[in-house]
Amino acid sequence: MNRSKKLKLLKRIKMLKRIIPIVLGTLFLTGCVYGQFKPTPDGVKLERTLQLIQGLYVDDVNSQELTEAAIRGMLKELDPHSTYLNKEEVKAMNEPLQGNFDGIGISFNMLTDTLYVMEVIAGGPSQKVGIMPGDKIIFVNDTLIAGVEKNNQDVVSMLRGPKGTEVNVKILRRGVPELMPFRIIRDKIPITSIDAAYMVVDDIGYIRLSRFGISSGDEFRQAEQKLRAEGMKHLLLDLTDNGGGILQIANDIVDEFLGNDKLIVYTEGKNQPRYTMNATGNDELDGGKLVILVNEASASASEILAGAIQDWDRGVIVGRRTFGKGLVQRQLPLPDGTMIRLTVARYYTPTGRSIQKPYENGDQDSYNMDFVNRYNHGELFRADSIHFPDSLKYTTMVNKRTVYGGGGIMPDYFVPIDTTAGTVLHGRLNGLGVINRVAIAEVDNHRHELLEKYPDINKFKAEYTVAEAMTSKLRKLASEEKIEWNEAQFTSSRPLIFEQLKALIARDLYDSSAFFRIINEESDIFKEGLKIISDDNRYEGLLKGEGSNVGQN
């Protein structure tokens, strides 16, 4: 067995060692629910109420809907993350984390009631039969979908189906006068979690992780190995907008950076004894610089990873305070295939910081308005608007510098939201899909010429310029969407809009990684992270608590 296979096997063994106790704990707890917990007077009261409604209420009632409403109501009173899921919600929740689904293997956009194929997954069913990016799907199984108001979920339900079943589509392709019929046999389609992996400069790599799914650990290591082979010594790990996923996968990725047996995270609750997770790997970067990019939408598993790296002084966290989702849910299946996700513990970083932001039981509105509150308080714009009492100050494990608790992970270097480019006009053009539609039309009309002139993303990024003629196309579509055109706002947002157009065109021509190679040039968090990782003195200073713009009074 070669070294690569041995390492992969060891990783899987370590993963199983972590997962088995949790699975057994879930099974034990579920067994308790069904086997050992005796009905309480309150439980009998609920059951009696349902019986009275069924037996005496003036109209027919749906007992299943009443039961589900009662369960949802009870859980809502507990905390913002304890929830009830019906069978469809269970399926929808699990799918993005399972690593695959059954389908035809495309990513698409619904624009002006037309389905545009954006990307064809390599080796998938659609690629095998010859479907190409830029194709427009007009019919699905003899049902017209073009020009008919359908949302993404409607189309997904028509294209997906069990592996081995077939779906017949008719496609309109530029340059072909008649509709082209295709018979596609559905298959397992992988859900990837690495949006981009590329070399930024000579020895600095960039990986963007969008979720922590079941295959994310393997995907991350493959991306890491590929970049190391291209000369990577230092890494920018982008967790912005990563809402989390499977806890064990976060620990699996932290393994790539921390030394063996270092504490990654622990959980504890009233009815759950302290459970610790320790690193079992080696530092695959060999001490190379590590900068993790986060923002207010980085949550849960993202916060566990960032918190462990920060607490062990292994890397620098750059961006804005993360979401603050630090409650542990246990998934408890019910006999009919539905599920309760019940909060049983809290996550704590190695220094003892609770990741969970404050909340009031049952008050979902104020909890969900947290982002607006941060905006109103100025936290998203100015580092000096963020102050911490002494009780929320913690000391890191190695360099003994100050880090902060109170919910979420506060970065070592704060990057404010840029409000100069984000005008009302840009928001409307972006939100109503105008920018995306102009980009798709450009590729649709000139795909062959563009690929001939720019055969790879490097040449495209260096040489392609968005033509001024795009402005008139934006104006025309804006008028059709009844968007009021404001010339001053367009002038302010023009660099961002044109960069978005270029990035979207690149994604359509190449892949999602190409999109981030370009759009990152407009990301203040990315640019600041790159400055820090490129400057040895500044990087080391931040790890020693010097040069931070956080927590200054």
Side-chain angles (χ1 to χ4, degrees), residues 195-388:
D195 284 343
Y198 64 90
M199 294 300 295
V200 183
V201 294
D202 290 343
D203 59 356
I204 298 174
Y206 169 89
I207 297 176
R208 178 179 174 84
L209 187 68
S210 61
R211 68 177 67 83
F212 291 84
I214 199 163
S215 63
S216 299
D218 289 337
E219 287 181 55
F220 181 83
R221 282 184 288 276
Q222 289 167 9
E224 186 183 33
Q225 289 164 10
K226 170 182 171 289
L227 294 183
R228 283 214 311 270
E230 295 176 18
M232 180 182 75
K233 295 179 181 176
H234 315 290
L235 175 63
L236 285 163
L237 175 55
D238 191 348
L239 299 180
T240 57
D241 300 320
N242 182 325
I246 302 172
L247 167 63
Q248 290 73 31
I249 300 300
N251 293 321
D252 193 29
I253 293 174
V254 175
D255 264 358
E256 298 294 298
F257 308 116
L258 291 186
N260 188 46
D261 209 34
K262 287 184 176 176
L263 176 64
I264 295 173
V265 67
Y266 69 90
T267 65
E268 200 165 20
K270 173 178 172 288
N271 297 301
Q272 297 290 303
R274 177 166 168 159
Y275 178 77
T276 62
M277 291 189 174
N278 294 338
T280 58
N282 298 305
D283 185 350
E284 298 297 330
L285 270 182
D286 270 339
K289 287 174 284 187
L290 173 64
V291 168
I292 296 179
L293 311 179
V294 298
N295 65 2
E296 55 283 343
S298 306
S300 191
S302 292
E303 298 173 290
I304 289 166
L305 191 157
I309 295 299
Q310 188 178 55
D311 281 6
W312 284 106
D313 299 294
R314 175 58 189 89
V316 173
I317 314 300
V318 176
R320 293 183 288 277
R321 181 163 64 97
T322 60
F323 182 84
K325 197 279 186 185
L327 296 176
V328 184
Q329 279 75 51
R330 203 41 77 72
Q331 297 182 5
L332 302 170
L334 298 174
D336 61 351
T338 60
M339 179 185 291
I340 289 174
R341 298 182 74 232
L342 187 67
T343 297
V344 297
R346 286 182 170 82
Y347 292 123
Y348 296 90
T349 72
T351 58
R353 292 182 288 167
S354 171
I355 293 172
Q356 180 61 41
K357 63 187 176 184
Y359 65 89
E360 294 183 17
N361 295 353
D363 189 0
Q364 285 278 356
D365 291 339
S366 62
Y367 188 80
N368 294 332
M369 289 289 286
D370 179 63
F371 176 80
V372 176
N373 293 334
R374 294 190 198 189
Y375 184 96
N376 291 336
H377 294 157
E379 179 185 326
L380 302 178
F381 309 105
R382 299 180 304 277
D384 61 8
S385 69
I386 309 165
H387 305 290
F388 299 92

Side-chain angles (χ1 to χ4, degrees), residues 401-421:
R401 63 193 171 104
T402 299
V403 290
Y404 303 94
I409 301 298
M410 195 68 195
D412 301 309
Y413 194 87
F414 172 81
V415 180
I417 282 181
D418 178 16
T419 58
T420 58

Side-chain angles (χ1 to χ4, degrees), residues 478-508:
S479 176
E480 291 175 8
E481 292 290 344
K482 296 181 171 50
I483 298 172
E484 182 180 348
W485 189 271
N486 183 302
E487 194 60 37
Q489 290 185 16
F490 177 72
T491 300
S492 178
S493 295
R494 182 185 177 283
L496 174 59
I497 292 171
F498 274 38
E499 199 73 7
Q500 274 185 272
L501 283 168
K502 183 174 179 178
L504 289 165
I505 290 168
R507 183 183 67 184
D508 201 355

